[in-house]
């Protein structure tokens, strides 16, 4: 299969602690989209696994038929999500070295986000609101 190659819109420079400014969010939409798609893919995979396990436990033929239909729908959904991710360049299951690069970029972005000081050191609210007698 030949999929359209699009580079992941990852974060290209160190993140600024001034994360509320729009210019400091460069690359975040693509990173968020690919992360959401990956979570969706993993959830679909979990659904497939759960349906398969349920099939081994069900004795009623009608219930087995319904769960088998659910399993087929879940497999189709997984294929659709995988194809979308490959088309967008977010998932490279046939090119391990390319997938490794994507995973490394995601890990670096996660580390940058984790190292950001998102909350001030002083969380005192005194003086923030109209507080008489203080």
């Amino acid at each position: 299969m030949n999929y359209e190659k699009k580079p992941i819109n990852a974060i290209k420079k160190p993140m600024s602690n001034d994360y509320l400014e729009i210019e400091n969010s460069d690359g975040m939409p693509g990173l968020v989209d690919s992360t959401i798609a990956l979570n969706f893919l993993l959830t679909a995979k979990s659904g497939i696994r759960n349906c398969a396990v349920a099939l081994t436990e069900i004795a009623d033929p009608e219930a087995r038929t319904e769960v088998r239909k659910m399993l087929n729908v879940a497999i189709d959904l997984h294929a659709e999500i995988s194809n979308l991710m490959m088309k967008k360049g977010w998932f490279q299951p046939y090119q391990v070295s390319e997938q490794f690069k994507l995973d490394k970029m995601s890990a670096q972005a996660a580390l940058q986000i984790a190292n950001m000081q998102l909350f001030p050191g002083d969380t005192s609210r005194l003086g923030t609101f109209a507080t008489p007698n203080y």
Side-chain angles (χ1 to χ4, degrees), residues 45-117:
K45 183 182 259 188
S46 179
I48 291 168
R49 187 178 302 113
N50 292 340
C51 285
V53 169
L55 275 174
T56 66
E57 301 294 328
I58 298 173
D60 182 50
E62 290 177 22
R64 286 181 63 82
T65 300
E66 289 303 314
V67 173
R68 191 174 293 117
K69 287 179 189 176
M70 291 170 56
L71 176 62
N72 289 331
V73 168
I75 291 170
D76 291 342
L77 177 63
H78 185 276
E80 283 184 49
I81 300 166
S82 297
N83 288 334
L84 171 73
M85 291 180 69
M86 286 186 278
K87 182 178 177 183
K88 295 278 189 176
W90 298 337
F91 183 47
Q92 302 291 331
Y94 303 112
Q95 299 169 346
V96 177
S97 62
E98 290 298 314
Q99 184 62 45
F100 180 74
K101 288 177 190 175
L102 292 175
D103 292 344
K104 187 175 175 182
M105 286 172 32
S106 294
Q108 288 170 341
L111 284 173
Q112 287 181 3
I113 292 168
N115 288 326
M116 290 176 72
Q117 184 177 353

Side-chain angles (χ1 to χ4, degrees), residues 15-25 116:
M15 289 183 199
S16 168
N17 279 335
D18 193 4
Y19 55 90
L20 296 177
E21 293 296 328
I22 194 72
E23 63 266 9
N24 293 331
S25 67
M116 290 176 72

Side-chain angles (χ1 to χ4, degrees), residues 4-10 12 30 87-90 102 105:
E4 178 184 351
K5 301 269 182 171
K6 291 184 182 178
I8 189 168
N9 190 8
K12 295 169 183 61
K87 182 178 177 183
K88 295 278 189 176
W90 298 337
L102 292 175
M105 286 172 32

